[in-house]
Amino acid sequence: MRTALRIAYVLVLCIVFTCSKSKETKPKDSATSNPNIILFVSDDHGMDALGCYGNQIIKTPNLDKLASEGVKFTNAYCTSASCAASRSVILSGLYGHATGSYGHVHDYHHFSTYDNVKSLSNRLTEAGYVTARIGKYHVAPEAVYQFDEVLEADPRNTVEMADASKAVIHSKKPFFLYFCTDDPHRGHPFTPEKWDMPNSFGNKKEGYKDVEQITYSPDEVLVPAFLPDTKQTREEIAQYYQSVSRIDQGFGRLMHHLKDANKLENTIVIYISDNGMAFPGAKTTVYETGIKLPCIIKDPTSNKKGITNTAKISWVDLTPTILDFANVSYDKTAFHGKSFKNIIDTENPKGWDAIYASHTFHEITMYYPMRVVIDKNYKLIWNIAWRLEYPFASDLWAASTWQSIYRNDIEYFGPRKVKDYLFRPEFELFNLENDPLETNNLADNEKYSEVLESMKVKLKKFQKDTSDPWMIMWDHESSLQGTGVNL
């Protein structure tokens, strides 16, 4: 009898163990457990031109709806206000000065990411995601930034882009869609027939198929305080607004397709821009108007809606954050950024009060390295090549907004003197709370000498931690130069 009981007991244990083991080792159904992710990146779109960020003139109902259903960040920063350099950071989680992504990747410029970098798209493919991109790419080499599918559509017609993405949205596997518009970047040709004609910003008289033309009067637009309020500025902003409204329509179409596929409730949607508006004083600079950008995220699993988050986050944080959303494990030391997934729906999270920026080139002829630290209200800019005249991107130089000041020999460009815009001091220290336009440089003010020195210490540590070759420019310290051997 005892023997029979022992046998029965052993059998029960075996059954329990077997059931438990089968439960633990059951393969995870990635189609249901991992969310889909859409990263929507516009080109040269500042915080100035979105309804949800306070512009009551521009029509962006679809993006405003995203903000009302998710979270809007008010202190989100790119690391370099230059298209290619910014995008390399978005997709790698590493600062461009550490990856060789110093500026534009046009074949003439030939900047390119080191081939040992492992990008977001490659990591997601390995994790079982279908990865697809559409529109502006502007990173290299392709082996580093590999996508399973490359979709084709007019990058100025975001409605067409959305329609071209339907098959990916209906994928049975979880998908990552990298959706990148050419809008509202300035349109070709950059140099108009007459100097005072506004740039088109991609707008066409005949419009785009399935896109409603939403136009604006120059009289009604809002001129940001850093720009001169001139006829030419207003005409160009009106064109810029029209291009932004085209983005919004395409975003709305994309959300429509997501709803039709019954995937609204398991898709993370992120809207950002690569850098600030394409006007002098914003794009290619490290002033707030160049690097402080829109960032709207909807996580359908969150019960909180319409949140405004004041955390200082950076595009270098995006890759680890998206990997966390996708439940993909990674080595935290592989990135310069850190995931902000856990504080997304917190309005004023603690410990998120500092960011860094690093700009070296735009076009290859535009060498002007700048390094930035923002800590709470203080911001330090180190203009490493401060003895040089500040270089202009080709599209910004030809802009009627700039030419109206330059040709007429006007002393001021907005609140800043033209000579101060072109010739900058080595250090610029600002109190952003008191001086949001960054016109009162405190670097030479003895009252702020301790603040200046403490910010320099933070900047040097940042450069050392991220292997910045330009750290040598502090005191010609050569430890980052390596052995001279090509390993």
Side-chain angles (χ1 to χ4, degrees), residues 32-168:
T32 57
S33 61
N34 291 347
N36 308 302
I37 299 167
I38 295 176
L39 179 57
F40 192 117
V41 185
S42 58
D43 196 354
D44 301 355
H45 185 194
M47 289 176 68
D48 59 284
L50 273 166
C52 56
Y53 280 95
N55 189 320
Q56 300 300 311
I57 301 301
I58 196 163
K59 297 178 177 64
T60 53
N62 296 297
L63 289 167
D64 296 345
K65 181 181 180 184
L66 183 71
S68 71
E69 296 175 343
V71 56
K72 172 184 67 179
F73 284 87
T74 54
N75 288 295
Y77 290 82
C78 68
T79 66
S80 177
S82 179
C83 301
S86 180
R87 290 162 192 268
S88 74
V89 175
I90 290 168
L91 291 175
S92 71
L94 299 167
Y95 289 95
H97 61 240
T99 65
S101 307
Y102 303 128
H104 276 355
V105 297
H106 298 310
D107 52 6
Y108 175 72
H109 301 127
H110 206 267
F111 292 125
S112 176
T113 301
Y114 300 141
D115 58 12
N116 63 342
V117 172
K118 194 171 183 180
S119 73
L120 172 63
S121 54
N122 290 22
R123 290 173 184 270
L124 289 175
T125 294
E126 289 179 2
Y129 272 75
V130 172
T131 62
R133 66 175 174 88
I134 187 168
K136 188 164 186 173
Y137 189 43
H138 217 6
V139 287
E142 191 168 357
V144 168
Y145 303 103
Q146 192 87 43
F147 287 80
D148 299 325
E149 298 182 30
V150 179
L151 310 177
E152 299 293 336
D154 183 348
R156 289 285 187 181
N157 186 339
T158 47
V159 170
E160 182 181 308
M161 291 173 68
D163 289 346
S165 304
K166 286 174 66 175
V168 170

Side-chain angles (χ1 to χ4, degrees), residues 204-268:
K204 299 188 299 185
K205 289 182 179 179
E206 66 274 20
Y208 291 88
K209 183 181 178 182
D210 297 326
V211 178
E212 177 189 356
Q213 274 198 302
I214 300 175
T215 60
Y216 298 87
S217 165
D219 293 333
E220 68 179 335
V221 302
L222 303 178
V223 179
F226 76 95
L227 289 174
D229 191 347
T230 64
K231 172 179 178 291
Q232 290 78 20
T233 301
R234 287 182 167 275
E235 288 174 345
E236 292 211 299
I237 291 176
Q239 295 293 322
Y240 165 61
Y241 278 14
Q242 182 177 338
S243 189
V244 170
S245 286
R246 188 163 55 250
I247 291 172
D248 186 78
Q249 290 183 60
F251 182 83
R253 180 69 70 93
L254 193 63
M255 294 303 99
H256 172 77
H257 292 322
L258 205 57
K259 183 178 180 180
D260 278 355
N262 198 29
K263 293 190 177 181
L264 278 175
E265 299 307 314
N266 67 333
T267 303
I268 308 292

Side-chain angles (χ1 to χ4, degrees), residues 378-412:
Y378 285 104
K379 176 177 181 178
L380 178 65
I381 300 173
W382 180 28
N383 296 308
I384 299 173
W386 61 281
R387 293 177 180 84
L388 297 177
E389 180 176 341
Y390 193 81
F392 268 86
S394 52
D395 56 337
L396 302 187
W397 172 260
S400 61
T401 296
W402 172 255
Q403 290 295 318
S404 65
I405 303 299
Y406 173 74
R407 287 173 177 265
N408 293 301
D409 199 24
I410 295 174
E411 184 179 8
Y412 280 85

Side-chain angles (χ1 to χ4, degrees), residues 284-287 357 359-360 367-373 379-391 416 420-430 441 443 452 456 459 463 470 473-474:
T284 77
T285 78
V286 289
Y287 294 131
H359 178 94
T360 306
Y367 175 75
Y368 204 86
M370 299 171 284
R371 301 295 184 262
V372 179
V373 54
K379 176 177 181 178
L380 178 65
I381 300 173
W382 180 28
N383 296 308
I384 299 173
W386 61 281
R387 293 177 180 84
L388 297 177
E389 180 176 341
Y390 193 81
R416 189 176 276 110
D420 293 337
Y421 183 78
L422 296 177
F423 298 97
R424 304 181 182 187
E426 183 176 11
F427 294 103
E428 296 178 83
L429 177 65
F430 304 111
N441 185 8
L452 176 62
K456 285 182 181 180
L459 198 56
Q463 290 185 275
W470 274 264
M473 300 305 292
W474 284 104

